[in-house]
Amino acid sequence: MKAVVFEAHGGVEVLSCRDWPDPEPRAQDVIVRVRAVGLNYLDIFARRGMPNVTIPLPFISGGDIAGEIESLGAAVTGWRVGERVVVNPKTADGLIGEEIQGGLAERVRVPASNLVRLPDAVDDDTAAAVPINFGTALRMLTTIGNLRAGETILVLGASGGVGTACVQVAKMIGAEVLAAAGSAAKLEQLRAIGADHAIDYAAEDFSRRAWDLSGKRGVDVVVNFTGGDTFVPSMRALARHGRLLVCGATAGYAPPIDLRYLWRRELQVLGSTGYAQADIEAAIALVAEGRLKPAIGHRFPLAETAAAQQLLEDRAFFGKIVINP
């Protein structure tokens, strides 16, 4: 089969689309014929290398996978060849695309317990935009953040995969949504998917703008997966008893913090580490019902994965970038 492989950590130049042995299923596994893979920053981190994470080289990344079952392990029951599925990448053996070989290939081995059936109403590209992004957004905003109808929420970095998912989930819940991004074109697209207010953080102080838009009371919830120098401004944007939801650190994992806001406003800083299979199942059902609609900005063939990852790394995209093997 063809796969996108890197044998050393580095820039996109280490990626090679080449022949790779077909995976073999264990007793409880299936082989999925991959039809679409959604890119994530995890693919960038895996390729670059991550502190305290050993990635087995040579390696294939890619965790957001949709396709159909091509073959079954000897002990697999309840599934049949040809069924369309999406994959929960969190397996008992590790994370697909980070710790075990991923889906940027024509085929991938997946434990049968990590499969979610795809309704006919959900196409492969759309399905590949759901698991990590919408699973993360659903769990973070509902299970962790307890976002309620009528509350206000500020989503930073709202034009990416998780960001666009948070905008849609928050709007579905009935919150007033403030979405921050770095260009006029992205702001217009965010309004089109449900943002009530769009803030250009390249042109203005997002914290002050959110404070003004909230009637100078602050927002109830901020979603921050960037860290770095956005952390203290996020705290400043929050109302008394506000919740700061953290699910990543793409701009820096050791940000400064101003404890005065924390105690004076009795803020909560809540970490969210991803999703459970139930979140992915719920997200797929909501997409099938038309209540959520993943935004897909770009599609690339497998051989052009390097160009796709460069687009992701440069943040020159909106929504999700999908690879079609």
Side-chain angles (χ1 to χ4, degrees), residues 178 197-199 204-214:
L178 288 64
H197 307 282
I199 301 171
E204 59 184 333
D205 181 337
F206 75 81
S207 180
R208 182 176 296 278
R209 181 60 174 153
W211 185 262
D212 291 340
L213 288 169
S214 67

Side-chain angles (χ1 to χ4, degrees), residues 103-302:
L104 283 171
E106 292 177 326
R107 295 172 183 82
V108 64
R109 176 178 63 81
V110 180
S113 58
N114 283 69
L115 299 178
V116 175
R117 283 186 174 85
L118 275 182
D120 291 340
V122 183
D123 64 80
D124 294 326
D125 287 5
T126 298
V130 170
I132 293 175
N133 295 158
F134 280 85
T136 296
L138 268 181
R139 185 172 188 273
M140 179 166 52
L141 297 190
T142 59
T143 305
I144 304 297
N146 192 29
L147 181 67
R148 298 179 292 274
E151 290 191 310
T152 54
I153 181 172
L154 168 63
V155 181
L156 299 184
S159 62
V162 175
T164 54
C166 285
V167 168
Q168 291 189 43
V169 171
K171 193 66 178 177
M172 179 186 71
I173 289 170
E176 181 179 2
V177 182
L178 288 64
S183 74
K186 289 179 179 179
L187 299 183
E188 188 60 35
Q189 290 171 299
L190 286 166
R191 293 186 188 98
I193 65 169
D196 297 290
H197 307 282
I199 301 171
D200 185 350
Y201 57 64
E204 59 184 333
D205 181 337
F206 75 81
S207 180
R208 182 176 296 278
R209 181 60 174 153
W211 185 262
D212 291 340
L213 288 169
S214 67
K216 294 183 168 38
R217 65 169 290 273
V219 299
D220 299 295
V221 175
V222 174
V223 172
N224 185 312
F225 45 81
T226 54
D229 60 7
T230 67
F231 209 75
V232 171
S234 295
M235 298 176 73
R236 289 202 300 264
L238 282 165
R240 184 174 177 83
H241 300 150
R243 288 100 73 198
L244 176 54
L245 305 181
V246 181
C247 67
T250 58
Y253 63 85
I257 186 167
D258 191 328
L259 295 176
R260 295 171 297 179
Y261 292 101
L262 193 66
W263 85 66
R264 286 177 178 174
R265 297 184 187 175
E266 297 184 323
L267 304 179
Q268 299 178 64
V269 179
L270 303 170
S272 185
T273 190
Y275 45 86
Q277 180 136 337
D279 299 310
I280 297 173
E281 292 170 349
I284 287 291
L286 289 165
V287 170
E289 293 167 9
R291 299 180 65 191
L292 297 173
K293 185 178 181 181
I296 299 175
H298 299 272
R299 295 172 172 84
F300 288 84
L302 187 67

Side-chain angles (χ1 to χ4, degrees), residues 22-36:
D22 285 349
E24 295 290 336
R26 300 169 303 187
Q28 298 287 351
D29 294 336
V30 305
I31 300 302
V32 173
R33 176 62 173 93
V34 180
R35 297 302 181 188

